[in-house]
Amino acid sequence: MPKSKSVFVCQECGYESSGWLGKCPACMQWNTFVEERQAAPVKGTHVQEGFTKPVCLGEINSGNEDRGLTGMKELDRVLGGGVVRGSLILVGGDPGIGKSTLLLQICNTINSGSKILYVSGEESIGQIKMRADRLGVKRADLYIVSASNYETILTLIAAEKPGLVIIDSIQTMYTDAITSAPGSVSQVREVTASLMKLAKGTGITVMIVGHVTKEGAIAGPRVLEHMVDTVLYFEGDRHLSFRILRAVKNRFGSTNEIGIFEMRDSGLVEVSNPSEMMLSGRPGNVPGSVVVSSLEGTRPMLIEIQSLVCATNFGVPRRMATGIDYNRLTMLMAVLEKRVGLQLYNFDAYVNVVGGIRLDEPACDLGIAAAVASSFRNVPVKEGCVLIGEIGLTGEVRAVGQIDKRISEAMRLGFKSVIIPEGNLKMARQIKNTKGFDICPVANIQGALDLIFEAGG
Ligand code: TYD
Ligand code: MG
């Protein structure tokens, strides 16, 4: 009888220790250690990998990349053009954000090759049926099972031979090989590793749902991300109806793309024209509101940035950034003080990106600075104007990538002018059909502000 070993595992980061610790030396969290028993491996069970010879790259036949479309364009784009057969995809997100809804919905349209097995450890089959009815999911070869034991699931997979298995959620699954509780780091890691082997060995595509902890990591966190092929995060404000699907890791495509959905009564609806959605409800001609053209992957998106600058009541003025980097905001405000002469030091400043979007692109700098300046001067930005440009510490406006896409999007949505960095002018001139649309190059932030406030001050 092999002796079982007991280890203490940090439930946040997976750090292992032979004794209990109050504070995890790896992630610095307190009270995260839980004792987990690990049965020592039975002798002789280690599978010897067959002897393999290295093969010259040129001689390897990769075969055709076998992808199945999910039938949801937004999801297909995030995945890099559909689901690769035999891959393991992890969909993470806050509880209640819509992960189960998304996966159940794609069952209707996905090209999975053969049957789909939907394993839920969270809901009964009756509840899933109710949800499926509401979402209009009617696929004949979709099989639902409520189970959470990994060995049971394996038996089911062997019997049903599905082409796609959906596991909802990984935190509810447990394997008999480990005695620790479902949802613990060891269980989550072990079950995921076994699913990975299953996917690679049989060519079955596996999608797993993973809930995210308060700190924003998938429970059993980093441990899972490096094991799977693709990690998608489903995010958004639960109080707003927009949902954004983002690839954090993708072995079969780029991680720059995002997919945008709207949660309605009848489930998730794709938003194929995000700029229009982001700008709906935008107040006309008010100080502190500007529109920037940001690029998410290959797709340009027009997004509104709002700012409010008001006199401070405290010794140290407050700065608050939602949707943009706080340090970037303070840097841009410093540039405005020094290079433009705006005396912001005794004013609070709040900046918000509308729609719960996060903008990390430097190309939005000019928009952020203009929003702050507009609110400070209490003068609206020139009507129908989109701002593009990165700002440097000397106040210069620097060129950004893919200016043509950004400008075309502004034109498509009926804007009248765009302010761009001088360095981008040559490329912008190549855009066709710009009649009636103003492309204004600027060299520095002062020049940009002169242009956008020309109307009123
Ligand atoms: P769900 O997919 O259960 O979330 P998760 O699996 O990520 O925990 O989504 C639940 C939320 O979605 C719930 O708060 C209600 C909302 N919802 C709708 O608004 N419309 C719908 O058609 C469905 C199925 C859910
Ligand atoms: Mg769920």
Side-chain angles (χ1 to χ4, degrees):
M1 175 81 188
K3 248 170 83 181
S4 67
K5 197 173 102 189
S6 160
V7 287
F8 291 82
V9 184
C10 169
Q11 300 298 304
E12 286 295 330
C13 70
Y15 181 85
E16 287 182 13
S17 154
S18 55
W20 188 84
L21 297 173
K23 184 180 181 184
C24 173
C27 66
M28 302 297 164
Q29 297 288 320
W30 288 92
N31 283 332
T32 52
F33 277 85
V34 169
E35 183 176 9
E36 296 184 357
R37 275 186 183 285
Q38 291 179 333
V42 184
K43 267 199 190 130
T45 55
H46 181 70
V47 186
Q48 196 102 51
E49 274 183 27
F51 176 71
T52 43
K53 215 172 76 189
V55 183
C56 175
L57 181 66
E59 289 167 15
I60 302 176
N61 180 10
S62 64
N64 276 339
E65 199 179 54
D66 193 6
R67 286 188 190 253
L69 295 182
T70 62
M72 267 201 178
K73 285 211 187 74
E74 294 291 300
L75 179 58
D76 286 336
R77 188 183 33 240
V78 175
L79 288 169
V83 182
V84 173
R85 296 244 156 79
S87 64
L88 181 61
I89 300 168
L90 172 66
V91 181
D94 289 330
I97 203 80
K99 302 178 292 297
S100 309
T101 310
L102 178 74
L103 292 186
L104 192 57
Q105 240 176 305
I106 59 165
C107 287
N108 217 13
T109 46
I110 193 168
N111 172 9
S112 60
S114 63
K115 274 186 212 173
I116 302 177
L117 184 65
Y118 186 105
V119 186
S120 178
E122 302 192 337
E123 290 163 290
S124 70
I125 54 172
Q127 287 167 331
I128 298 171
K129 168 73 175 151
M130 256 158 49
R131 191 197 288 247
D133 284 346
R134 209 143 71 82
L135 298 172
V137 177
K138 287 204 191 71
R139 192 182 181 120
D141 58 355
L142 170 62
Y143 291 75
I144 313 278
V145 59
S146 180
S148 50
N149 179 273
Y150 179 67
E151 281 72 25
T152 314
I153 297 167
L154 269 191
T155 326
L156 288 171
I157 292 175
E160 300 286 341
K161 300 197 174 48
L164 168 68
V165 177
I166 295 174
I167 306 278
D168 186 3
S169 65
I170 191 71
Q171 274 91 10
T172 53
M173 301 297 151
Y174 68 94
T175 164
D176 294 334
I178 292 181
T179 50
S180 53
S184 65
V185 173
S186 323
Q187 283 288 4
V188 166
R189 192 162 42 184
E190 186 65 27
V191 175
T192 310
S194 313
L195 286 169
M196 188 71 182
K197 257 184 243 156
L198 175 85
K200 299 293 157 197
T202 57
I204 297 175
T205 308
V206 183
M207 293 187 175
I208 54 185
V209 169
H211 291 298
V212 159
T213 59
K214 281 201 299 297
E215 286 73 28
I218 294 175
R222 304 279 145 207
V223 201
L224 279 192
E225 292 189 0
H226 76 255
M227 288 161 78
V228 303
D229 292 317
T230 304
V231 182
L232 305 179
Y233 269 95
F234 208 27
E235 48 188 47
D237 195 329
R238 216 178 319 168
H239 307 292
L240 293 175
S241 56
F242 313 136
R243 300 283 185 271
I244 295 168
L245 190 67
R246 204 181 280 281
V248 179
K249 162 182 176 181
N250 193 354
R251 286 193 180 143
F252 312 111
S254 110
T255 52
N256 294 325
E257 302 286 348
I258 63 167
I260 300 180
F261 298 87
E262 191 183 346
M263 181 64 97
R264 298 223 187 118
D265 290 346
S266 54
L268 290 160
V269 181
E270 296 175 78
V271 177
S272 46
N273 197 345
S275 298
E276 223 159 73
M277 181 193 77
M278 293 296 162
L279 295 182
S280 66
R282 179 173 173 242
N285 231 17
V286 289
S289 158
V290 303
V291 176
V292 296
S293 188
S294 164
L295 215 62
E296 295 283 353
T298 54
R299 183 165 57 174
M301 222 157 55
L302 296 189
I303 295 166
E304 182 188 355
I305 296 180
Q306 291 188 340
S307 166
L308 182 68
V309 177
C310 49
T312 184
N313 291 318
F314 304 101
V316 182
R318 285 192 70 171
R319 273 94 178 80
M320 210 168 88
T322 316
I324 58 166
D325 182 35
Y326 175 83
N327 294 326
R328 195 88 197 164
L329 173 64
T330 49
M331 186 205 93
L332 291 171
M333 289 181 69
V335 174
L336 281 173
E337 283 213 47
K338 187 85 178 172
R339 308 289 170 204
V340 187
L342 301 188
Q343 311 211 321
L344 292 160
Y345 52 80
N346 49 7
F347 284 85
D348 289 341
Y350 305 90
V351 174
N352 177 37
V353 179
V354 177
I357 292 265
R358 211 182 146 78
L359 293 179
D360 287 321
E361 241 201 335
C364 302
D365 286 355
L366 188 56
I368 300 168
V372 171
S374 158
S375 179
F376 177 75
R377 293 184 174 170
N378 211 20
V379 178
V381 168
K382 194 165 78 170
E383 220 186 323
C385 179
V386 173
L387 293 121
I388 305 167
E390 176 181 349
I391 293 177
L393 289 181
T394 65
E396 84 276 21
V397 176
R398 308 173 69 103
V400 301
Q402 312 207 39
I403 194 80
D404 46 340
K405 279 192 181 160
R406 299 176 199 262
I407 296 179
S408 304
E409 181 75 356
M411 284 166 55
R412 193 176 70 79
L413 280 144
F415 281 80
K416 292 187 221 136
S417 61
V418 62
I419 295 190
I420 61 163
E422 232 172 29
N424 280 127
L425 188 60
K426 210 165 130 201
M427 202 167 168
R429 286 235 172 88
Q430 293 168 7
I431 303 173
K432 297 191 180 75
N433 295 330
T434 52
K435 223 174 124 213
F437 185 82
D438 258 349
I439 296 179
C440 323
V442 292
N444 53 40
I445 182 162
Q446 180 71 60
L449 296 185
D450 289 347
L451 266 179
I452 53 180
F453 296 132
E454 65 184 5

